Amino acid sequence: MSDEAMSDLGLDTILDEMLRGRAADAELRRWFRSPLPDSDAVRYRSSVMEDIDERLTLETAEKFALRSRRITDCLTSSEASPGTVQSCKWRLDAAVEYCKAVSEMKEALSRAGLRSDGLTRCSDWISAYATSKSFVRLRDDAFGLDRTFRDMRYNFIATDGLFYIYAGDEEADYCAELRNTFDRDGDSEACLQAISGLQTPGLEEETLRLLRRRYPAAFAALESFSHTHPSFVDPTAMTFAKELTFYIACLRYFRAFRKRGLYYCYPVITQKKELRIEAGYDLMAGTANRMIANGVDLHAEAAVVVPAFPDGPDSFARTVGQIIALSALGCPVPARSAVVPHIDRLYTHFPKADRPEMNEGKLKEELTRLHPIVAEAGHGSMVVLNETFSTTSTYDATSMGRKLLDLLTIRGAMCLFVTHLPGFAPEDRGADIKRVEEEVERYGLTKERLISRLKERAHG
């Protein structure tokens, strides 16, 4: 999707919000900017999204993705100190996280009642993989050796600027008790760190020397584990984890709207030139006190829409554009229900603010930006035009607007022209003239009163 369309529809801001905390993930950002190639791919991803949302649970997906990041971090740390005991221990920690992630996801998928082809296939694969001889051996070796190291006990005494290390005994583990006391979320992986960022390489070396002398068999088994399982991560599992981050980012964003009393849906994708939206809203205005929900019912190649309120054009155009763009990614959309055509290219043309350095008139600037849209748009394209030619006279805007729609529809593109000019479309044109039914319950307006106002405006 072009930068201009992302900006016009507010999708750049929406994407930044979705990727908060993962802004540097270039691949994830690229997925959100790349519409899927066909309607089957859209339905495939949308059904997976809905399964995660309603059956697998978002929390399960987030836990698997978190463990996958820990695996990567552990393996990175292991590679940073090759041939050392620390490297072997990091590799063991990665294996433990990996086995927990696979085993937990296997159980979650098996009891989720899945409906999507994508997650059903993942469930079949992970069930077979988790019961394979190689994985079972890895799991048993990793869990057994991990228990051995967790059972090791040693004590530190810090006094007079010195650390004393000695073998542990049966004293109570006060750190564990403190961790359990303050672990409100029940995260057993949490750790207690007395001095954040403290670097003690000498202390670590002395601790290892003591432990290796006291537990020689355990350290020998640790080195053997690294040789026995040099490469234990299956790429399929990590690819699954990576792709889950897309679904997690999207659902976490839309769940926030649901908590504010709004809604979202999974659109029906059609091959027809048909667009039906019930109670759609602008995500950029979804947090505002004044939230207007819009409806549209389009069964033609082109439509001219005259919103009923002064600030309606921008919000309505963004609403439709956002719904079309998100549906092309297989994502939920901000509406109570929606039927959306599959499009492979989305073009937008919104008014731009005047720039002091611009030496050309406003009309020429609009025509310059429209030129590549007219040249490129065709079958499979959707063009959203918002207040195009609004800076010129009503007659000129109407005349040029009609010619623009003719050019685009002849090329096979679907067009939505949002304007404040009620007399825009001619009587003999095949385009439907739609008056937007805007639900504004906050102001006590009913649908009937809105229709009455629209009729008065049309005849007044």
Side-chain angles (χ1 to χ4, degrees):
M1 191 179 302
S2 69
D3 291 339
E4 184 170 12
M6 293 286 292
S7 176
D8 286 344
L9 302 177
L11 290 173
D12 48 358
T13 302
I14 292 168
L15 182 54
D16 287 342
E17 182 67 22
M18 284 186 179
L19 299 185
R20 181 180 295 179
R22 298 186 64 87
D25 194 329
E27 185 177 18
L28 187 57
R29 184 174 291 273
R30 187 167 61 251
W31 287 346
F32 275 104
R33 295 179 65 105
S34 305
L36 295 169
D38 53 56
S39 57
D40 288 339
V42 172
R43 295 186 189 99
Y44 182 92
R45 182 184 281 176
S46 180
S47 64
V48 170
M49 186 85 71
E50 191 169 4
D51 252 357
I52 294 172
D53 191 10
E54 299 180 1
R55 298 172 189 91
L56 178 63
T57 77
L58 179 59
E59 293 69 27
T60 299
E62 287 179 321
K63 188 173 183 179
F64 185 82
L66 176 60
R67 288 203 185 278
S68 299
R69 288 197 293 274
R70 288 174 179 166
I71 294 165
T72 301
D73 291 343
C74 288
L75 291 176
T76 300
S77 297
S78 175
E79 293 168 0
S81 53
T84 64
V85 173
Q86 291 95 326
S87 177
C88 294
K89 184 59 168 64
W90 280 119
R91 184 166 290 276
L92 172 62
D93 292 344
V96 170
E97 286 292 331
Y98 178 69
C99 293
K100 286 181 179 179
V102 170
S103 300
E104 289 168 356
M105 183 55 73
K106 170 185 173 294
E107 293 302 317
L109 289 171
S110 66
R111 61 173 180 265
L114 303 171
R115 297 180 183 176
S116 66
D117 288 342
L119 283 188
T120 298
R121 292 176 184 175
C122 286
S123 180
D124 293 343
W125 176 84
I126 207 168
S127 293
Y129 175 65
T131 55
S132 65
K133 290 182 179 180
S134 59
F135 179 82
V136 171
R137 183 187 179 189
L138 171 68
R139 182 195 63 201
D140 292 347
D141 290 352
F143 286 179
L145 191 54
D146 183 60
R147 281 192 298 271
T148 298
F149 276 86
R150 286 179 179 274
D151 289 341
M152 291 181 181
R153 294 290 181 266
Y154 53 93
N155 298 321
F156 290 107
I157 294 179
T159 180
D160 298 328
L162 297 173
F163 282 103
Y164 295 88
I165 310 168
Y166 61 93
D169 50 29
E170 298 303 319
E171 292 181 7
D173 185 349
Y174 297 111
C175 284
E177 291 184 16
L178 283 170
R179 182 175 65 240
N180 293 334
T181 299
F182 293 102
D183 182 14
R184 301 299 186 186
D185 298 326
D187 182 3
S188 61
E189 304 298 329
C191 65
L192 184 69
Q193 190 169 8
I195 306 176
S196 178
L198 178 64
Q199 301 294 320
T200 57
L203 181 61
E204 182 177 324
E205 290 173 5
E206 287 300 310
T207 304
L208 283 172
R209 185 179 61 80
L210 171 70
L211 293 175
R212 293 189 76 167
R213 189 170 66 240
R214 185 173 178 83
Y215 304 103
F219 280 87
L222 180 63
E223 293 180 3
S224 176
F225 178 87
S226 292
H227 293 302
T228 304
H229 305 284
S231 180
F232 52 81
V233 176
D234 191 296
T236 303
M238 299 309 286
T239 298
F240 178 49
K242 178 67 175 178
E243 292 183 358
L244 274 180
T245 60
F246 175 90
Y247 298 97
I248 291 168
C250 187
L251 288 173
R252 188 186 292 148
Y253 176 80
F254 275 99
R255 289 279 186 89
F257 281 87
R258 179 181 285 175
K259 288 179 181 178
R260 294 196 289 266
L262 298 173
Y263 41 79
Y264 59 87
C265 72
Y266 293 89
V268 176
I269 306 300
T270 178
Q271 296 290 350
K272 300 177 182 178
K273 291 188 175 182
E274 175 183 357
L275 176 64
R276 284 187 282 134
I277 299 170
E278 178 189 359
Y281 59 91
D282 178 8
L283 289 170
M284 297 295 289
T287 57
N289 292 328
R290 183 185 180 188
M291 198 282 289
I292 300 176
N294 299 296
V296 65
D297 191 354
L298 169 62
H299 295 268
E301 289 185 337
V304 177
V305 178
V306 184
F309 293 88
D311 57 351
D314 287 351
S315 181
F316 182 85
R318 276 198 306 268
T319 297
V320 175
Q322 289 167 6
I323 289 173
I324 291 172
L326 289 169
S327 67
L329 295 171
C331 295
V333 299
R336 187 166 286 121
S337 68
V339 177
V340 182
H342 172 70
I343 61 102
D344 52 28
R345 288 166 294 175
L346 175 63
Y347 299 94
T348 61
H349 185 274
F350 280 50
K352 299 296 181 184
D354 289 328
R355 302 194 308 271
E357 71 276 11
M358 189 170 62
N359 295 321
E360 56 189 13
K362 194 69 176 177
L363 178 58
K364 184 177 180 181
E365 181 267 338
E366 281 199 88
L367 293 172
T368 300
R369 288 194 292 121
L370 280 168
H371 182 268
I373 296 177
V374 175
E376 297 171 12
H379 292 284
S381 300
M382 179 78 184
V383 182
V384 178
L385 304 165
N386 178 35
E387 295 284 25
T388 303
F389 306 133
S390 60
T391 57
T392 187
S393 68
T394 300
Y395 176 83
D396 288 341
T398 302
S399 176
M400 288 188 292
R402 291 172 184 170
K403 290 179 181 179
L404 177 59
L405 286 181
D406 283 335
L407 285 171
L408 291 170
T409 53
I410 287 173
R411 295 177 63 86
M414 286 189 70
C415 305
L416 183 71
F417 200 124
V418 185
T419 178
H420 67 283
L421 302 174
F424 185 91
E427 293 296 328
D428 59 351
R429 182 175 176 78
D432 293 334
I433 307 173
K434 299 294 180 184
R435 294 292 189 266
V436 184
E437 298 175 358
E438 296 178 326
E439 303 171 4
V440 208
E441 286 104 355
R442 292 180 185 271
Y443 298 94
L445 295 176
T446 65
K447 178 179 177 180
E448 289 72 20
R449 291 174 67 185
L450 283 171
I451 292 174
S452 176
R453 282 194 181 187
L454 291 169
K455 288 180 178 178
E456 290 173 2
R457 179 170 179 173
H459 297 291

